[in-house]
Amino acid sequence: MPTQPITPSERHPDLAKAIGLADIYLKREDLHPYGSHKGRSIPVMIDHYRNKGDRNFAISSSGNAALAAALHIKKLNENASASDKITIDIFVGNNISPNKLAKLQSLTDEQIRVLVKERPLQALSSAISEGKRSLRQSTDDIALLGYESLAEELSEIDELGSVFIGTSSGTTAEALARYFTTHKSNVQIHIVQTSSCHHLSEVFEAYGGPDERSIADAIVDQTAIRKDVLVPMIHKTGGYGWCATNEEIITAQTLVKKHADLDISTNSALSIVGAMQAIYRTWDFKGKVVCIIAGQ
């Protein structure tokens, strides 16, 4: 019997018609039990290193990965003996959204610490030097394994042709591209970045929009460590890199609310913006289009 998908793939013909597509599916990763698509990968990383004996973790995050980590660790610790409990230090920046910070702080206990830092990556480096296991996805290919379940669920959509996803480090996009190229599926992978973080998308096209701080606050990775691997893979799939302004993000949110009756986050709206930009460019879509509604 087919495995029950973790999150639904919803068809929205009214939204498709409004933005100029024959069909569109929204992959509802915002309905993941851990709140976002990061819930696919972070638990896999924790379980992998826990099985190897690690008990102390650290992560630098804009929110979603940290929430997935905290929720999974809290679940693991529920029935663990005192000696088997695991800990995590969560480093977040000063610009984290108040809503995400409040959610994280509600999960704190003796094993889970949330620390607001001016330079969270620097704090993570210090924690690593102290012997804590990093959960940074951009530097660890174990992270790719968790997103295989997302690719498998997407592949269940008949005549899948293109996937659009808001992208920070590019880890999820790389995992999807690896899966579909390995399985010889003709699926385009499109990444969408923002006005304040576009180190990956600018390889495809220079950003020419306003100089603004993006309202999509989960897209923060400025190191682009995966660029040299990811960009050729996206080219191989026939996909592209797009960049969204704040105005475009708000427009996408409004359209999704009006034609699909969904309130989606600014980060989730990036995938819709990417699809709309591709339509405007009369992109050659071969098959159905899926936009990843990634979470908060």
Side-chain angles (χ1 to χ4, degrees):
M1 291 181 62
T3 303
Q4 183 71 19
I6 298 173
T7 64
S9 301
E10 299 175 347
R11 181 171 175 262
H12 288 279
D14 290 345
L15 177 61
K17 183 178 179 181
I19 65 177
L21 279 172
D23 216 345
I24 192 170
Y25 284 75
L26 303 184
K27 183 59 172 167
R28 297 292 306 279
E29 291 294 280
D30 58 322
L31 298 180
H32 190 283
Y34 287 163
S36 74
H37 69 303
K38 303 288 185 168
R40 303 269 185 177
S41 178
I42 293 293
V44 169
M45 296 178 72
I46 293 171
D47 291 347
H48 173 82
Y49 290 113
R50 180 171 176 261
N51 290 338
K52 288 183 173 293
D54 284 304
R55 290 294 180 271
N56 301 300
F57 296 88
I59 189 171
S60 168
S61 170
S62 61
N64 289 339
L67 282 166
L71 287 166
H72 191 60
I73 285 175
K74 189 169 279 288
K75 179 180 178 181
L76 292 174
N77 283 342
E78 280 179 1
N79 300 312
S81 64
S83 61
D84 204 36
K85 288 184 185 293
I86 56 181
T87 72
I88 187 167
D89 282 347
I90 297 170
F91 302 110
V92 299
N94 294 322
N95 293 325
I96 186 173
S97 77
N99 180 47
K100 287 181 183 177
L101 181 59
K103 285 183 180 179
L104 284 170
Q105 290 175 331
S106 73
L107 296 170
T108 58
D109 55 27
E110 291 183 0
Q111 288 77 39
I112 300 170
R113 296 198 305 170
V114 177
L115 303 142
V116 180
K117 298 287 185 178
E118 185 176 350
R119 294 181 175 85
L121 270 179
Q122 188 177 56
L124 176 62
S125 295
S126 296
I128 295 169
S129 68
E130 294 168 2
K132 298 191 176 181
R133 171 64 67 175
S134 170
L135 295 176
R136 189 179 180 193
Q137 294 189 89
S138 62
T139 58
D140 191 339
D141 281 355
I142 297 299
L144 300 171
L145 301 178
Y147 293 118
E148 288 183 2
S149 64
L150 174 57
E152 288 166 356
E153 291 180 23
L154 290 171
S155 68
E156 294 297 316
I157 298 173
D158 291 335
E159 299 178 11
L160 174 65
S162 300
V163 177
F164 287 81
I165 182 166
T167 298
S168 188
S169 72
T171 306
T172 312
E174 181 177 334
L176 296 180
R178 283 180 184 273
Y179 180 90
F180 288 115
T181 54
T182 299
H183 290 75
K184 302 187 185 302
S185 301
N186 187 26
V187 178
Q188 300 172 1
I189 303 299
H190 296 261
I191 61 170
V192 191
Q193 296 203 284
T194 70
S195 52
S196 51
C197 182
H198 42 80
H199 290 290
L200 294 169
S201 62
E202 69 184 8
V203 177
F204 298 86
E205 183 174 307
Y207 173 67
D211 182 12
E212 61 185 7
R213 179 177 164 188
S214 178
I215 56 177
D217 61 350
I219 313 302
V220 297
D221 191 293
Q222 301 287 352
T223 58
I225 292 170
R226 294 191 178 274
K227 180 191 289 188
D228 291 344
V229 173
L230 176 59
V231 169
M233 293 182 76
I234 293 174
H235 280 301
K236 187 175 181 180
T237 70
Y240 202 68
W242 311 91
C243 194
T245 66
N246 287 341
E247 182 180 1
E248 290 169 326
I249 290 169
I250 293 168
T251 296
Q253 287 180 296
T254 302
L255 284 169
V256 172
K257 177 62 178 176
K258 181 177 180 180
H259 299 287
D261 196 25
L262 294 175
D263 292 306
I264 63 172
S265 71
T266 53
N267 299 298
S268 293
L270 293 174
S271 61
I272 306 294
V273 173
M276 292 171 66
Q277 289 185 357
I279 293 163
Y280 180 77
R281 300 282 189 85
T282 64
W283 194 265
D284 186 14
F285 292 114
K286 297 185 187 283
K288 293 173 181 174
V289 172
V290 176
C291 291
I292 306 292
I293 305 303
Q296 290 299 311

